[in-house]
Amino acid sequence: MKKDNIILGVDIGGTGIKGGLIDITKGEMISERYRLATPKPATPEAVAETFAELVAHFKWEGPIGVGFPAIVSHGVALSAANIDKSWVGTNIEKLLSKACGCHVHVLNDADAAGVASMHYGAGKGEMGVVFMLTIGTGIGSALFMDGTLVPNTELGHVFLKGQEQVAEKMVSKAARKAQGLSWKEWGPHFNEYLLHLQRLFSPDLVILGGGGSKNFDEFKDAITTNYRVKPAGFLNKAGSVGAAYYAWEMEQKGN
Ligand code: BGC
């Protein structure tokens, strides 16, 4: 099956590799969502093998978009905060394209979720400085200026309150759990992070994905920012949808 408006969208994460066929015109997954466990250790070779298995499941031969949890510059991983360190320096696009025989386009996972939000979700039509934050094992970020992505912002790695730990080690969903905090108790801590981003970037809007989206009602009263904060409301498929949109755009540009 290969149609111009259909792209296979894949989200590579620390625990699962998930994907489905995405209809770009609607931003919807039109197949079932297929998930394989991320191999352990998640070395480039092992992940490439699992990725090829997922592609084979869909009998897919067209372009593929992939969201990956690292800085991804021109297809190459430049960091590895919550993934196997051996990824640093790996050309993910070349590795995955070779593994499945398809044309693969890769971007950061939070950038992918942000792209989905800006095109089909809570960010649709939003101008100015907009961030998407994904709150999970780490904190991922995506920056948009008048709807255009500025890739690889990595706002989970800013330092808070002069501490040695970066923000995601203090206020991610995983950090909340480790500290035994309810979402309500976590709210004021997360608000400090949002105020820090206010001082640094003066955003117009911050969209929250991951746990920050699902549990928004439980902590929203703690937020005191001068900018708007809203939940993505576009739950666990956003990464795959955004990655597919990105791949479609790249294909249109002849990349
Ligand atoms: C990584 C980011 C990623 C985020 C969410 C962070 O630790 O540095 O690249 O987007 O986790 O997966």
PDB file of all heavy atoms in Angstrom, residues 122-136:
ATOM      1  N   ALA A 122      -4.217  21.315  19.765  1.00  0.00           N
ATOM      2  CA  ALA A 122      -4.383  22.517  20.596  1.00  0.00           C
ATOM      3  C   ALA A 122      -3.607  23.727  20.069  1.00  0.00           C
ATOM      4  O   ALA A 122      -3.927  24.859  20.422  1.00  0.00           O
ATOM      5  CB  ALA A 122      -3.946  22.206  22.023  1.00  0.00           C
ATOM      6  N   GLY A 123      -2.593  23.490  19.238  1.00  0.00           N
ATOM      7  CA  GLY A 123      -1.780  24.596  18.749  1.00  0.00           C
ATOM      8  C   GLY A 123      -2.222  25.133  17.394  1.00  0.00           C
ATOM      9  O   GLY A 123      -1.633  26.088  16.875  1.00  0.00           O
ATOM     10  N   LYS A 124      -3.248  24.529  16.840  1.00  0.00           N
ATOM     11  CA  LYS A 124      -3.696  24.911  15.489  1.00  0.00           C
ATOM     12  C   LYS A 124      -4.038  26.406  15.430  1.00  0.00           C
ATOM     13  O   LYS A 124      -4.807  26.898  16.253  1.00  0.00           O
ATOM     14  CB  LYS A 124      -4.920  24.081  15.133  1.00  0.00           C
ATOM     15  CG  LYS A 124      -5.099  23.922  13.661  1.00  0.00           C
ATOM     16  CD  LYS A 124      -6.202  22.965  13.352  1.00  0.00           C
ATOM     17  CE  LYS A 124      -6.549  23.123  11.881  1.00  0.00           C
ATOM     18  NZ  LYS A 124      -7.699  22.333  11.523  1.00  0.00           N
ATOM     19  N   GLY A 125      -3.430  27.125  14.501  1.00  0.00           N
ATOM     20  CA  GLY A 125      -3.721  28.544  14.321  1.00  0.00           C
ATOM     21  C   GLY A 125      -3.064  29.449  15.350  1.00  0.00           C
ATOM     22  O   GLY A 125      -3.243  30.665  15.308  1.00  0.00           O
ATOM     23  N   GLU A 126      -2.276  28.897  16.278  1.00  0.00           N
ATOM     24  CA  GLU A 126      -1.632  29.716  17.314  1.00  0.00           C
ATOM     25  C   GLU A 126      -0.371  30.376  16.746  1.00  0.00           C
ATOM     26  O   GLU A 126       0.533  29.705  16.283  1.00  0.00           O
ATOM     27  CB  GLU A 126      -1.252  28.853  18.529  1.00  0.00           C
ATOM     28  CG  GLU A 126      -2.443  28.315  19.296  1.00  0.00           C
ATOM     29  CD  GLU A 126      -3.097  29.383  20.198  1.00  0.00           C
ATOM     30  OE1 GLU A 126      -2.645  30.535  20.206  1.00  0.00           O
ATOM     31  OE2 GLU A 126      -4.062  29.015  20.893  1.00  0.00           O
ATOM     32  N   MET A 127      -0.304  31.705  16.829  1.00  0.00           N
ATOM     33  CA  MET A 127       0.854  32.446  16.326  1.00  0.00           C
ATOM     34  C   MET A 127       1.755  32.820  17.503  1.00  0.00           C
ATOM     35  O   MET A 127       1.434  32.550  18.644  1.00  0.00           O
ATOM     36  CB  MET A 127       0.360  33.724  15.620  1.00  0.00           C
ATOM     37  CG  MET A 127      -0.384  33.460  14.336  1.00  0.00           C
ATOM     38  SD  MET A 127       0.745  32.914  13.027  1.00  0.00           S
ATOM     39  CE  MET A 127       0.170  31.284  12.741  1.00  0.00           C
ATOM     40  N   GLY A 128       2.861  33.478  17.200  1.00  0.00           N
ATOM     41  CA  GLY A 128       3.775  33.930  18.248  1.00  0.00           C
ATOM     42  C   GLY A 128       4.685  32.814  18.726  1.00  0.00           C
ATOM     43  O   GLY A 128       4.944  31.852  18.001  1.00  0.00           O
ATOM     44  N   VAL A 129       5.174  32.960  19.959  1.00  0.00           N
ATOM     45  CA  VAL A 129       6.134  32.012  20.527  1.00  0.00           C
ATOM     46  C   VAL A 129       5.369  30.932  21.295  1.00  0.00           C
ATOM     47  O   VAL A 129       4.762  31.205  22.325  1.00  0.00           O
ATOM     48  CB  VAL A 129       7.123  32.734  21.473  1.00  0.00           C
ATOM     49  CG1 VAL A 129       8.095  31.736  22.114  1.00  0.00           C
ATOM     50  CG2 VAL A 129       7.882  33.818  20.719  1.00  0.00           C
ATOM     51  N   VAL A 130       5.359  29.731  20.754  1.00  0.00           N
ATOM     52  CA  VAL A 130       4.606  28.636  21.365  1.00  0.00           C
ATOM     53  C   VAL A 130       5.562  27.483  21.674  1.00  0.00           C
ATOM     54  O   VAL A 130       6.392  27.110  20.841  1.00  0.00           O
ATOM     55  CB  VAL A 130       3.485  28.138  20.409  1.00  0.00           C
ATOM     56  CG1 VAL A 130       2.753  26.947  21.018  1.00  0.00           C
ATOM     57  CG2 VAL A 130       2.509  29.262  20.085  1.00  0.00           C
ATOM     58  N   PHE A 131       5.446  26.963  22.879  1.00  0.00           N
ATOM     59  CA  PHE A 131       6.206  25.768  23.246  1.00  0.00           C
ATOM     60  C   PHE A 131       5.254  24.609  23.457  1.00  0.00           C
ATOM     61  O   PHE A 131       4.145  24.784  23.952  1.00  0.00           O
ATOM     62  CB  PHE A 131       6.963  25.952  24.576  1.00  0.00           C
ATOM     63  CG  PHE A 131       8.235  26.723  24.454  1.00  0.00           C
ATOM     64  CD1 PHE A 131       8.319  28.027  24.925  1.00  0.00           C
ATOM     65  CD2 PHE A 131       9.347  26.151  23.874  1.00  0.00           C
ATOM     66  CE1 PHE A 131       9.507  28.742  24.815  1.00  0.00           C
ATOM     67  CE2 PHE A 131      10.538  26.861  23.760  1.00  0.00           C
ATOM     68  CZ  PHE A 131      10.614  28.165  24.236  1.00  0.00           C
ATOM     69  N   MET A 132       5.722  23.423  23.115  1.00  0.00           N
ATOM     70  CA  MET A 132       5.041  22.210  23.538  1.00  0.00           C
ATOM     71  C   MET A 132       6.002  21.554  24.515  1.00  0.00           C
ATOM     72  O   MET A 132       7.209  21.465  24.240  1.00  0.00           O
ATOM     73  CB  MET A 132       4.854  21.309  22.312  1.00  0.00           C
ATOM     74  CG  MET A 132       4.569  19.875  22.630  1.00  0.00           C
ATOM     75  SD  MET A 132       2.801  19.651  22.520  1.00  0.00           S
ATOM     76  CE  MET A 132       2.647  17.972  23.090  1.00  0.00           C
ATOM     77  N   LEU A 133       5.508  21.134  25.673  1.00  0.00           N
ATOM     78  CA  LEU A 133       6.342  20.386  26.615  1.00  0.00           C
ATOM     79  C   LEU A 133       5.741  19.003  26.763  1.00  0.00           C
ATOM     80  O   LEU A 133       4.535  18.873  26.996  1.00  0.00           O
ATOM     81  CB  LEU A 133       6.357  21.069  27.996  1.00  0.00           C
ATOM     82  CG  LEU A 133       6.964  22.467  28.094  1.00  0.00           C
ATOM     83  CD1 LEU A 133       6.810  23.001  29.519  1.00  0.00           C
ATOM     84  CD2 LEU A 133       8.445  22.457  27.705  1.00  0.00           C
ATOM     85  N   THR A 134       6.542  17.948  26.635  1.00  0.00           N
ATOM     86  CA  THR A 134       6.026  16.592  26.873  1.00  0.00           C
ATOM     87  C   THR A 134       6.575  16.116  28.205  1.00  0.00           C
ATOM     88  O   THR A 134       7.782  16.185  28.454  1.00  0.00           O
ATOM     89  CB  THR A 134       6.445  15.616  25.752  1.00  0.00           C
ATOM     90  OG1 THR A 134       7.874  15.545  25.705  1.00  0.00           O
ATOM     91  CG2 THR A 134       5.923  16.061  24.403  1.00  0.00           C
ATOM     92  N   ILE A 135       5.675  15.696  29.067  1.00  0.00           N
ATOM     93  CA  ILE A 135       6.079  15.363  30.431  1.00  0.00           C
ATOM     94  C   ILE A 135       5.986  13.853  30.636  1.00  0.00           C
ATOM     95  O   ILE A 135       4.897  13.295  30.756  1.00  0.00           O
ATOM     96  CB  ILE A 135       5.190  16.131  31.425  1.00  0.00           C
ATOM     97  CG1 ILE A 135       5.335  17.627  31.124  1.00  0.00           C
ATOM     98  CG2 ILE A 135       5.583  15.840  32.866  1.00  0.00           C
ATOM     99  CD1 ILE A 135       4.236  18.455  31.661  1.00  0.00           C
ATOM    100  N   GLY A 136       7.133  13.199  30.597  1.00  0.00           N
ATOM    101  CA  GLY A 136       7.183  11.744  30.752  1.00  0.00           C
ATOM    102  C   GLY A 136       8.390  11.349  31.571  1.00  0.00           C
ATOM    103  O   GLY A 136       8.634  11.926  32.631  1.00  0.00           O
TER     104      GLY A 136
END
